[in-house]
Structures are given as structure tokens and as C-alpha cells.
Amino acid sequence: MQVLDGREVPLGGLRALTVRRTLPHRDRSFVGAWCFVDHYGPATVGTDGSGGMDVPPHPHTGLQTVSWLFEGEIEHRDSGGNHAIVRPGEVNLMTGGRGIAHSEVSTPATDVLHGVQLWVALPDEARQHRRAFEHFVPEQAPLPGGAGTAYVFLGALAHVTASPVETHTPLLGAQLDLVPGARLDLTLDAAYEHGVLLDIGAVTVEGRELAFGDLACFDAGRDSLTLTAGPVGARVVLLGGPPFDEEILMWWNFVARTHEEIVEAREEWQALSDRFGDVPGYAGPVDRIPAPPLPGGRLRARNRFGRV
Ligand code: MN
């Protein structure tokens, strides 16, 4: 078991939301194809939106974003013409493919914002696909032994439930709510890597107590995992997928395979290319987020063992 603690990173955009980022990490790039894990809140949002989220249109390529909230609401708009409200217990899966642009703004009704923003690296055969957006509301399913409940938003959790959302590599994504003192013996797919992110409450994973926001990671080969909740219970996010065997480069909002691809994506965003498209209806004070300058030197790739 490898426990990653999050580093605090200011989220891009116009408000002062800080996120805790556990992936990518110096010591680990992926859990399956999950390549980016941001955990934020609970954050108090002022009546003027301060402390909330206001991320103007920005591009993505080569990845899918998975938005999952515990509290609050986010208004999503993208260049595929999708306009949706992201709500707790409802998953929004946006496929960047070759190129998409989107904006994310916490709604005026939001006084607390709390959730995770996750990215999935698309495999080579799917990474040039056209942009797409999917919304799915999972059932709240009971966990074995009265341990609590689960929302399985992607993939399948044995003896619990499965999500019908199709993915380009096998994935597992679920919120588990454990009742106080629960002991949960999860049956896992041994072909998968797994990660357990602690949100609120207290939980011990395989005998080790996690701190708020920790991501406990397990390599493939395990067929079970024991979680024990503390006296107030716990809410965790469970991620999984078979080891992602490709080498990728991640820079800003792009996932690519070579330095040149990143340079090209950046230039096309700066040049207002059709590759990313326009986001209709975003009403913030700026039209879009400009790409930052590239660092000097060539960007370095990552694989499942870390930086290459
Ligand atoms: Mn984004």
C-alpha cells in the first residue's frame, strides 16, 4: 500500500479555490487510467461567489474529465454544445478526445462546494475521438454486511452494483459511505490497481489510518480490501482500473504522447482553432484562459512507474 498525501494547488480561474492534488504524484502517475485526482472543499462560497469555482473556457485533449460532487452545484458548458448542472450523486463524464473547451462555475445557490475532479487518460486508439459529454445518476446501493451505501458511477463493484457508462479502458469509480464502526470487506478485481481517497470521517485501510484527503494506492494483484470506519463513519472515493501501459505527457490541460503534440495543442488553443471550439453562454469577465508559457526544455513523459 502506497499512501499519497495531497499537495495544495490553486485551481485556475477567477476565484480562490484551492484543491488538494494527489495524482499525478512524484511517486505515482496513475491508478489504472486515472491520471489526475483533485479533491476540494468543503469550501464556503460567499454570496458573490468568492471562494467558489469560476473557471472560464479552457481546452482539453487526450483525456476525459469526471466531475463528482458531495455538496454544491457546478454549471458546466462546453464546445460540444452541452450545458449541464453537476450535482451531488450525479456523474458528468466529458470526453476531450482530439479537442474540447469548457467552463465550470459554481451556481449562485451554492454555499458549500465539495467534491472531486478526476481525469482519465484516453488510450491511444481513442484519444483522437470527437468530443462528447455524458451524464449519469447511479442508484445508491447497499454495501455488504450493512456497512453503508455506494454510488458506483463508473465500472462495477462486486456484490454491489455496476454503472452502464461505457469507458475506453476498464475503470472503477465509486463513492462509499460507511456507517460508524463499519467493517467492509471489498471484493476486488485482481487485474486492477486501486485507490482509496478519504473525504470526511475516519477510515483505516488494511490496518492503516488515512488522513483527510489521502489517497491509498494498491498495485494489481489484490482480490480484496478491508476498510474500517471510525466512530463517525467515513466517506471515501474508490478508484480502479487495470495498469495503464502507455507513456503520456501531461502539461496544463493537455494529455499527449510527445512534446511536439503539446506544443501544437497549445498553439492551436492560442490561435482560436476549431480544434477546441467555442463555449457558448459563459458570462464571466474574460472569454477564455490563455495557455501559460511552456517551460524551458522538453516536457518529460510519465508511465505507470513514474517520470520517464
Ligand atoms: Mn477542465
Side-chain angles (χ1 to χ4, degrees):
M1 170 161 114
Q2 176 187 34
V3 178
L4 308 179
D5 56 350
R7 57 204 159 85
E8 296 208 339
V9 181
L11 188 67
L14 304 170
R15 293 173 187 162
L17 185 67
T18 297
V19 304
R20 293 169 296 278
R21 184 163 299 160
T22 40
L23 284 184
H25 191 280
R26 187 189 57 209
D27 298 327
R28 190 175 192 105
S29 301
F30 310 126
V31 171
W34 297 103
C35 63
F36 187 92
V37 176
D38 271 359
H39 177 221
Y40 53 87
T44 303
V45 181
T47 49
D48 60 351
S50 58
M53 185 181 285
D54 185 351
V55 186
H58 60 280
H60 287 290
T61 185
L63 59 87
Q64 293 176 297
T65 63
V66 176
S67 303
W68 183 259
L69 286 177
F70 309 120
E71 287 178 272
E73 289 179 344
I74 295 171
E75 185 171 25
H76 163 95
R77 297 174 190 272
D78 71 42
S79 57
N82 300 292
H83 177 211
I85 304 292
V86 185
R87 296 189 175 89
E90 305 183 4
V91 72
N92 287 271
L93 175 69
M94 184 183 79
T95 303
R98 177 159 170 75
I100 198 168
H102 74 141
S103 62
E104 298 162 285
V105 181
S106 43
T107 66
T110 297
D111 45 25
V112 176
L113 193 60
H114 188 183
V116 287
Q117 171 77 23
L118 311 166
W119 292 2
V120 174
L122 288 170
D124 196 44
E125 70 266 17
R127 70 191 185 94
Q128 306 288 357
H129 281 195
R130 56 182 299 182
R131 58 186 75 128
F133 181 82
E134 250 181 292
H135 173 257
F136 171 63
V137 183
E139 295 285 319
Q140 191 173 23
L143 287 166
T149 58
Y151 293 101
V152 178
F153 49 86
L154 287 179
L157 191 55
H159 312 302
V160 182
T161 184
S163 163
V165 176
E166 288 182 19
T167 56
H168 297 283
T169 54
L171 291 170
L172 170 61
Q175 172 184 328
L176 309 182
D177 292 282
L178 305 180
V179 299
R183 178 193 157 106
L184 175 65
D185 294 307
L186 280 174
T187 301
L188 302 181
D189 186 330
Y192 282 26
E193 300 172 338
H194 289 90
V196 178
L197 175 78
L198 175 61
D199 179 44
I200 53 170
V203 74
T204 299
V205 180
E206 293 293 312
R208 176 158 168 185
E209 190 171 352
L210 300 188
F212 175 70
D214 279 353
L215 180 68
C217 300
F218 298 88
D219 289 334
R222 294 188 68 92
D223 58 10
S224 69
L225 191 62
T226 300
L227 308 186
T228 310
V232 294
R235 176 160 63 206
V236 305
V237 175
L238 175 66
L239 303 175
F244 188 74
D245 280 325
E246 298 183 35
E247 208 168 277
I248 66 170
L249 280 83
M250 294 177 72
W251 179 78
W252 193 43
N253 293 306
F254 303 134
V255 172
R257 293 299 182 277
T258 65
H259 178 86
E260 288 70 25
E261 285 184 3
I262 297 269
V263 170
E264 184 183 31
R266 182 187 180 281
E267 284 173 357
E268 290 185 308
W269 173 247
Q270 296 299 83
L272 315 181
S273 156
D274 290 345
R275 174 172 177 178
F276 298 105
D278 294 321
V279 180
Y282 174 75
V286 302
D287 290 345
R288 64 209 308 269
I289 303 181
L294 278 161
R298 290 178 67 80
L299 297 165
R300 287 173 66 195
R302 296 179 162 273
N303 63 21
R304 66 192 185 89
F305 303 106
R307 282 201 186 267
V308 177

